[in-house]
Amino acid sequence: MTTTPIVTITRKESFSSAHRLHSKSLSDEENRNIFGKCNSLNGHGHNYTAEVSVRGPIDRENGMVMNLTELKQLMNDCIMTTMDHKNIDMDVPYFKTIPSTAENIAVFIWDSLSARLPKPELLFEVKLWETDKNYVTYRGKKTEVRSDRRSGKNICGSMSSDSE
Amino acid sequence: MTTTPIVTITRKESFSSAHRLHSKSLSDEENRNIFGKCNSLNGHGHNYTAEVSVRGPIDRENGMVMNLTELKQLMNDCIMTTMDHKNIDMDVPYFKTIPSTAENIAVFIWDSLSARLPKPELLFEVKLWETDKNYVTYRGKKTEVRSDRRSGKNICGSMSSDSE
Amino acid sequence: MTTTPIVTITRKESFSSAHRLHSKSLSDEENRNIFGKCNSLNGHGHNYTAEVSVRGPIDRENGMVMNLTELKQLMNDCIMTTMDHKNIDMDVPYFKTIPSTAENIAVFIWDSLSARLPKPELLFEVKLWETDKNYVTYRGKKTEVRSDRRSGKNICGSMSSDSE
Amino acid sequence: MTTTPIVTITRKESFSSAHRLHSKSLSDEENRNIFGKCNSLNGHGHNYTAEVSVRGPIDRENGMVMNLTELKQLMNDCIMTTMDHKNIDMDVPYFKTIPSTAENIAVFIWDSLSARLPKPELLFEVKLWETDKNYVTYRGKKTEVRSDRRSGKNICGSMSSDSE
Amino acid sequence: MTTTPIVTITRKESFSSAHRLHSKSLSDEENRNIFGKCNSLNGHGHNYTAEVSVRGPIDRENGMVMNLTELKQLMNDCIMTTMDHKNIDMDVPYFKTIPSTAENIAVFIWDSLSARLPKPELLFEVKLWETDKNYVTYRGKKTEVRSDRRSGKNICGSMSSDSE
Amino acid sequence: MTTTPIVTITRKESFSSAHRLHSKSLSDEENRNIFGKCNSLNGHGHNYTAEVSVRGPIDRENGMVMNLTELKQLMNDCIMTTMDHKNIDMDVPYFKTIPSTAENIAVFIWDSLSARLPKPELLFEVKLWETDKNYVTYRGKKTEVRSDRRSGKNICGSMSSDSE
């Protein structure tokens, strides 16, 4: 039996989109207070950059974890076609009810890719740059949420003890 | 009599805006053909970066062409307040009738700064990045346009012989 | 019971500071040998960039792990006010006795933020760029150090088995 | 007993190299199909950027995990001398039989550094940028591979449960 | 008669190529002395970035100097198809006799674009990055060269008095 | 007689320095008002990046305007040796009496290179980045300054009509 290295490969793609941070669960005043200028009525926009990482063993014949051409195609289908030169809130059904924060967009991208990857277990990380000063990273982890009936707020269970 | 060097100083600021490329002078079909995905109905967006350059003699006492703090304030008034986290076509009156191409936004920024600079003759260049793959540069030069009555098209006179 | 994704959000801020690498525990000659040109007598400087990451569950109402405005304010208080346009060794009491290596500055930033975050358990990582060719990353982990009485040197215990 | 923080330090170096993606285990047609334009007969090239990370306790005297000068020298010996301004496939014996994919180059760099570091257990990560749109990351992990005699293909064991 | 602004628009494209600096006009020893490691026998490579600028009046209807889609296509034909994932010296006939210095590649790109642009007079500048530490810029200017029969060297006439 | 293209070549180098903006021609209060936080008593610092451009005809034999190795050496002598890991105001005699604004540093670099270049007439531009948000550009141009005896202020003559 021999071994092969486990390597993470990452590809970057940029897309230009309009959006507005606005939650249907909150009042207009709460939205203004929480989101500030990001709640501006007619929206604003970003050149987002998505970095998608896939992690797995190097194929001993071709020396690759996954063919970048295939990853590029998947990113094109899940990200570019869906959101590039679009209005995220108006043109992407998922975001008609969910605020288009960078956090939620990263999760959306993860779920889309996960559903389409031949080997979804290889999906390792989605990093999404909203501007050159802020980005989010998602690795598919979730935690339980229970509802606090007294306050109506959700209380998150302890975070799973995964290190990152 | 002594001499002092002439130096260009430049400051960069980024702003996040939504826009849609659409010209009121053209039909919907012409707009789609010319602007393609940039004419997408609900708009899209960019993190724009504006680089504003001022050129003049170095003050022999303080060693500056212009105080960057002052340039930063002017850029804030002319660019950030006007367009950051806004929808350029809907929120900026100038663009209600003029397509918000990068070319036109650069001219808009130039004209705004020129009107507000204590010494407008020092304004040298506005460079505007729309994405990390394309930008425009404007130095305040214009050329004459005469109308070709036969075609209805504008014919530009020869470009002024300024080098750049 | 439902679940919510765990996402890491990161914000970047740059600060311009002077410093000199010099350890009071070492002789002048040892300092020169270890730190080389970084020990130059009158100091030198850097545009540092700090990337602060906070990791936690997405709030189901507003779609955020934490409001970036709040993170920005904390970084301003802990990093910018303390070190921007300052001399780290002369103006920051912490560094009067501790060498201002990038490693130690990252730990200083972590400790400052940790003390001020409403939920310090969400603090995930501090990354500090000293130049565009080198950076350090700190995630709050420590290891025991025991003193070797024979050599006077500190011997580090095995590193805690956290993966990163 | 006291504690000292565990910090990761990273240095970046760029090198300009020619290469061609071609596996001796595959036919010419298979190579063209898998590698596409990367299999172009006379090769192509990249400005690669390697980011090498070392992780360990901060020395309480000098405030460093490792002297960057030493890390720079090691990277010079293992990466620059070997591959800069060279043809990876023709000039580096290791790649005469192994396809010079970014994955394999990252592993090669890891193995070279690991063999030369005074404390190889401190080596934490090699990140290799092939272009500004794709990079790979390797942390020294391997997984078992068993041969599937029916298909002649290698079947990888489950990935070790390390998080990253 | 009205006026329209004159604006420069620029698009960037990257291409990955192998090359070797070697002049057929010089001996092997002269080549080694002049080009150093860039003359390494089996070649090396770069991710080049070309920035092509076109300068002209803004069309009053569509707000553009030139449609970026058209510029992108021309750059694809003249640069990408010709040199991306190729060996410049072996795959591009022009460079079989001319050293593939960044200077000469920039001129080659200029001449190719100039021959294909509907309005070649709008071509303003080609900037070519060879690495992130060096680039060249060409604006179509030439100067006369007369041969010095005594030394066999070419003597360049005074540079044309164009400012840039 | 044949022609050869005129091309500009540029090389970038970074240096890390401490400095403080303070003019000996002004009072302490004036210095604080003009320079703000840049006048902070113990100084601050930057990773500066200098881009030096040389412009001339392409040598028909070797395809270069100037050997980059030579330009690199000159930049090392004039910039790196002088200012890298130094305190500009304390370690560079020129700046003992002249405020170390980016404008003045760019002129200092120009004058140093000009004095050392084999063909100083080829020196075209010095661009100096102080942070990633501001830079200055100098092309060797000067303008006359006459003293206004009534106010004690210098009045600059009209700027020479060079375009840039």
Side-chain angles (χ1 to χ4, degrees), chain A residues 1-14 51-53 55-69 72 121-122 124-125 127 139 141 161-164, chain D residues 21 23-26 33-35 99 101-104 106-107 127 129-146 152-154 156-157 159-160 162-164:
Chain A
M1 172 124 15
T2 51
T3 61
T4 188
I6 295 171
V7 173
T8 305
I9 69 172
T10 304
R11 181 166 170 87
K12 294 173 65 168
E13 285 292 353
S14 294
E51 299 185 27
V52 173
S53 300
R55 182 171 175 256
I58 298 180
D59 180 294
R60 293 166 60 80
E61 270 188 349
N62 62 37
M64 303 189 292
V65 169
M66 174 181 182
N67 200 319
L68 268 184
T69 309
K72 179 180 176 180
E121 68 277 13
L122 296 189
F124 180 69
E125 180 178 282
K127 177 179 284 186
R139 290 190 176 181
K141 299 278 190 288
S161 60
D162 57 305
S163 50
E164 197 167 307
Chain D
L21 288 188
S23 173
K24 293 186 153 70
S25 317
L26 303 167
N33 290 339
I34 290 173
F35 295 122
T101 56
E103 290 92 320
N104 281 334
V107 173
K127 176 179 284 186
W129 293 78
E130 190 179 56
T131 71
D132 61 357
K133 296 197 80 171
N134 74 295
Y135 62 90
V136 301
T137 316
Y138 180 53
R139 291 188 176 183
K141 298 280 190 288
K142 295 185 190 315
T143 188
E144 292 180 350
V145 175
R146 57 183 174 80
K153 287 237 168 217
N154 289 317
C156 292
M159 297 207 312
S160 53
D162 56 305
S163 51
E164 198 167 306

Side-chain angles (χ1 to χ4, degrees), chain C residues 17-22 24 39-44 48 81-100 105 108, chain F residues 18-20 40-44 87 90:
Chain C
S17 309
H19 86 134
R20 176 191 186 214
L21 288 189
H22 188 87
K24 293 185 152 70
N39 184 243
S40 177
L41 185 64
N42 295 315
H44 58 283
Y48 292 89
T81 303
T82 318
M83 291 187 288
D84 184 44
H85 280 79
K86 299 271 168 69
N87 184 310
I88 293 176
D89 310 300
M90 297 183 188
D91 296 326
V92 185
Y94 182 92
F95 291 102
K96 286 190 164 20
T97 56
I98 290 175
S100 54
I105 297 173
F108 170 75
Chain F
H19 85 134
R20 176 192 186 216
S40 178
L41 184 65
N42 294 316
H44 57 284
N87 183 310
M90 297 182 187

Side-chain angles (χ1 to χ4, degrees), chain D residues 21-146:
Chain D
L21 288 188
H22 188 86
S23 173
K24 293 186 153 70
S25 317
L26 303 167
S27 68
D28 283 357
E29 190 182 353
E30 284 171 323
N31 271 298
R32 274 191 304 272
N33 290 339
I34 290 173
F35 295 122
K37 62 185 182 179
C38 299
N39 184 243
S40 178
L41 185 64
N42 295 315
H44 57 284
H46 300 288
N47 297 320
Y48 291 89
T49 298
E51 299 185 27
V52 173
S53 301
V54 168
R55 182 171 176 256
I58 297 179
D59 180 292
R60 291 166 60 80
E61 271 188 349
N62 62 37
M64 302 190 292
V65 169
M66 174 182 181
N67 201 318
L68 268 184
T69 310
E70 188 182 351
L71 181 57
K72 180 180 176 181
Q73 186 58 54
L74 282 162
M75 290 175 70
N76 191 68
D77 297 341
C78 295
I79 301 173
M80 303 300 282
T81 304
T82 318
M83 291 187 288
D84 185 43
H85 280 79
K86 298 273 167 71
N87 183 311
I88 294 176
D89 310 300
M90 296 183 188
D91 296 326
V92 185
Y94 182 93
F95 291 102
K96 286 191 166 17
T97 56
I98 290 175
S100 55
T101 56
E103 290 92 320
N104 281 334
I105 297 174
V107 173
F108 170 75
I109 292 173
W110 174 282
D111 291 344
S112 306
L113 289 166
S114 201
R116 296 197 57 154
L117 271 164
K119 295 186 185 181
E121 68 277 12
L122 296 189
L123 185 58
F124 180 68
E125 182 178 281
V126 169
K127 176 179 284 186
L128 182 72
W129 293 78
E130 190 179 56
T131 71
D132 61 357
K133 296 197 80 171
N134 74 295
Y135 62 90
V136 301
T137 316
Y138 180 53
R139 291 188 176 183
K141 298 280 190 288
K142 295 185 190 315
T143 188
E144 292 180 350
V145 175
R146 57 183 174 80

